Amino acid sequence: MSEPGSPGPKLLNGHSEVSKEEKDLKPQTEYEKKKQTFITRTIWTLIMISGFFAAMFAGHIYILGIVTAVQIVSFKEVIAIANVPSRVKNLPFTRSLNWYFLGTTMYFLYGESVIYYFKHIVLVDRILLPFATHHRFISFMLYVMGFVFFVGSLKKGHYRFQFTQFAWTHMALYLINVQSHFIMNNTLEGMIWFFLPASLVITNDIFAYICGITFGRTQLIKLSPKKTVEGFVGAWILTILFGFGMTNVLMRYKYFICPANDLGSNIFTGLHCTPNPVFIPRVYTFRPPLLLHSAPRTFHVAPMQFHILIFATFASLIAPFGGFFASGLKRTFKVKDFGESIPGHGGITDRMDCQFIMGFFAFMYYQSFIAVYKASVGGVIETAIQGLSVEEQVEVVKGLAKYLVGQGRVEEGVLECLVGVLPRRR
């Protein structure tokens, strides 16, 4: 009861009237919480999908930017779950060393990619040439400096924590940054090698959810209680069908199948190249085993349609174990998500746990069974710079000039100019 003179609740039809503010203070029911989470999750899913396609159509450079941002945020999230704030306060250089090793690793990996894919630019620049030719040594010395600093910062009473952080940092660098680096290489080899593996993982996750709630009965693994064997197998079959269809569409556009020889290109400007033989349909002959006397049937299939079987199978049967590994990691540290970078979804790492290993596999498979190795402008320039003396390089230039004049590609005056300007070999 309220005291005399104090403002009490007004009576309306025999019941106390509850103000709107008091209603808002009531705790949400379980249904309302799930509804709000679902709405938030759906909105951010649409935002991510829209951003993904916008970046992909805008050009390779934007995809590389997204992958770089994902690397940094994922590293931050994984490092954070193992941090002990009270210890870090007493060890001010712990976080600095984490970021130093991240920067050194990214310098090494990015440098390797830039030198490999853009030799024709890097190796002819007077400023960049020393960094390119000594890139690995510079990277190693940067790492050694961090290593020496770490040893010098060891503090009595904190050895176990510091060495644990050192090992944890290196594990994060390998599982996140090294693997995602190959996703960047996939993008430079051709947009299809980025988009196809990523889309296979995403659709497989969706198919596994749909099949699981539809006819899933048998638990697949204890780390993820909601995963079922039926959903796992059903998603595998549907992912293969999706892969066949998506590959058939992407192979028709050079923007997807050509290497990124121009980082300024986009879906409107397109790219131009000689397609990899894997995208060119071949004629196959098939004779039905039960109809030996019938005429053989021929059909046209691009070899990529066979390769997609392997990609879809890995995305369905192996890549999910990246998610199971992440689930085990979160259970170890007793956290629900790696972070809160994406509202309704958790952290970036929660969404990328399967993508890292899938991108790594896609690069290894492409380099082993699909890539066509031939002489490139950058490769020839690298060989000439590193394997020939200056006088021999001059002779190569003169020889190429003579060849081009003979073929009618350049005027004879160009050759005369080169002969007059370039010194003769002694």
Side-chain angles (χ1 to χ4, degrees):
M1 293 181 63
S2 58
E3 296 178 3
S6 65
K10 297 178 181 179
L11 294 178
L12 184 64
N13 296 330
H15 299 283
S16 62
E17 181 185 7
V18 181
S19 66
K20 184 180 178 182
E21 289 78 6
E22 289 175 338
K23 284 183 179 179
D24 293 338
L25 291 175
K26 286 185 177 180
Q28 286 184 317
T29 64
E30 192 66 26
Y31 170 77
E32 289 172 335
K33 286 181 180 178
K34 287 184 177 179
K35 181 182 176 182
Q36 185 61 43
T37 302
F38 175 78
I39 293 173
T40 304
R41 191 182 182 95
T42 302
I43 291 173
W44 277 94
T45 298
L46 294 175
I47 291 173
M48 286 190 293
I49 291 173
S50 302
F52 175 78
F53 279 99
M56 186 171 65
F57 293 147
H60 299 72
I61 192 69
Y62 294 95
I63 292 295
L64 298 180
I66 289 176
V67 174
T68 301
V70 167
Q71 283 188 55
I72 296 172
V73 176
S74 295
F75 178 81
K76 177 179 176 292
E77 291 175 347
V78 172
I79 288 298
I81 66 172
N83 267 338
V84 179
S86 59
R87 291 285 188 90
V88 173
K89 265 186 182 178
N90 298 323
L91 301 166
F93 296 113
T94 300
R95 288 182 180 174
S96 301
L97 278 171
N98 289 340
W99 289 105
Y100 177 83
F101 282 124
L102 172 65
T104 301
T105 303
M106 293 182 71
Y107 172 80
F108 170 70
L109 295 174
Y110 279 61
E112 288 287 304
S113 294
V114 169
I115 294 168
Y116 180 79
Y117 290 103
F118 302 102
K119 292 174 184 173
H120 57 291
I121 298 174
V122 175
L123 296 178
V124 297
D125 188 279
R126 179 178 295 182
I127 297 174
L128 296 178
L129 179 60
F131 290 97
T133 52
H134 303 101
H135 172 69
R136 293 179 179 177
F137 180 76
I138 294 171
S139 301
F140 174 72
M141 291 309 298
L142 287 173
Y143 176 80
V144 167
M145 287 168 60
F147 176 78
V148 170
F149 191 83
F150 165 74
V151 175
S153 67
L154 289 173
K155 194 173 181 181
K156 189 176 181 181
H158 299 277
Y159 294 153
R160 183 184 293 274
F161 174 76
Q162 287 181 288
F163 277 104
T164 300
Q165 286 292 304
F166 183 79
W168 184 255
T169 300
H170 284 69
M171 186 201 76
L173 289 172
Y174 172 72
L175 292 178
I176 296 172
N177 299 92
V178 173
Q179 291 192 113
S180 57
H181 163 72
F182 292 107
I183 297 177
M184 299 185 69
N185 287 354
N186 292 340
T187 306
L188 294 172
E189 292 288 355
M191 191 67 80
I192 190 172
W193 305 114
F194 163 78
F195 177 70
L196 198 57
S199 62
L200 288 173
V201 170
I202 294 169
T203 53
N204 177 260
D205 192 38
I206 295 171
F207 291 145
Y209 174 75
I210 294 172
C211 294
I213 63 173
T214 304
F215 49 80
R217 296 291 182 273
T218 311
Q219 189 182 66
L220 176 67
I221 188 169
K222 291 182 179 180
L223 280 172
S224 294
K226 294 181 181 180
K227 301 288 185 181
T228 63
V229 174
E230 293 82 3
F232 201 63
V233 175
W236 177 26
I237 297 170
L238 292 175
T239 302
I240 288 175
L241 296 176
F242 169 82
F244 270 111
M246 183 56 67
T247 302
N248 190 45
V249 173
L250 297 179
M251 287 192 305
R252 301 176 185 179
Y253 302 97
K254 285 192 173 182
Y255 178 71
F256 284 96
I257 66 175
C258 286
N261 46 40
D262 179 12
L263 289 179
S265 62
N266 54 53
I267 190 68
F268 301 108
T269 61
L271 288 168
H272 301 282
C273 67
T274 301
N276 189 308
V278 78
F279 298 118
I280 300 174
R282 298 180 186 176
V283 179
Y284 293 89
T285 304
F286 174 73
R287 188 189 298 272
L290 300 178
L291 302 172
L292 298 177
H293 299 291
S294 64
R297 300 177 183 178
T298 60
F299 55 96
H300 295 75
V301 178
M304 186 60 195
Q305 297 285 20
F306 297 113
H307 290 297
I308 198 61
L309 282 170
I310 309 299
F311 276 79
T313 298
F314 189 92
S316 303
L317 305 184
I318 306 299
F321 281 85
F324 301 152
F325 176 86
S327 296
L329 205 58
K330 287 186 285 188
R331 285 171 181 261
T332 301
F333 290 95
K334 299 178 181 180
V335 294
K336 182 183 178 183
D337 298 311
F338 281 101
E340 298 177 352
S341 307
I342 313 172
H345 289 267
I348 289 285
T349 313
D350 294 289
R351 297 277 68 83
M352 292 295 297
D353 45 17
C354 301
Q355 294 287 0
F356 292 136
I357 191 170
M358 184 67 203
F360 196 0
F361 166 78
F363 177 82
M364 292 301 176
Y365 187 90
Y366 171 81
Q367 294 293 334
S368 300
F369 303 106
I370 298 176
V372 176
Y373 297 99
K374 59 182 181 180
S376 64
V377 174
V380 172
I381 293 175
E382 180 183 27
T383 302
I385 290 175
Q386 296 182 350
L388 300 178
S389 64
V390 175
E391 291 80 5
E392 290 170 331
Q393 292 168 12
V394 169
E395 290 300 315
V396 169
V397 172
K398 290 180 180 178
L400 284 173
K402 289 179 182 178
Y403 169 78
L404 292 173
V405 169
Q407 295 295 313
R409 298 287 183 176
V410 298
E411 297 179 0
E412 192 170 350
V414 174
L415 176 60
E416 294 174 356
C417 178
L418 286 173
V419 172
V421 173
L422 295 176
R424 293 184 179 182
R425 183 178 180 181
R426 297 177 181 179

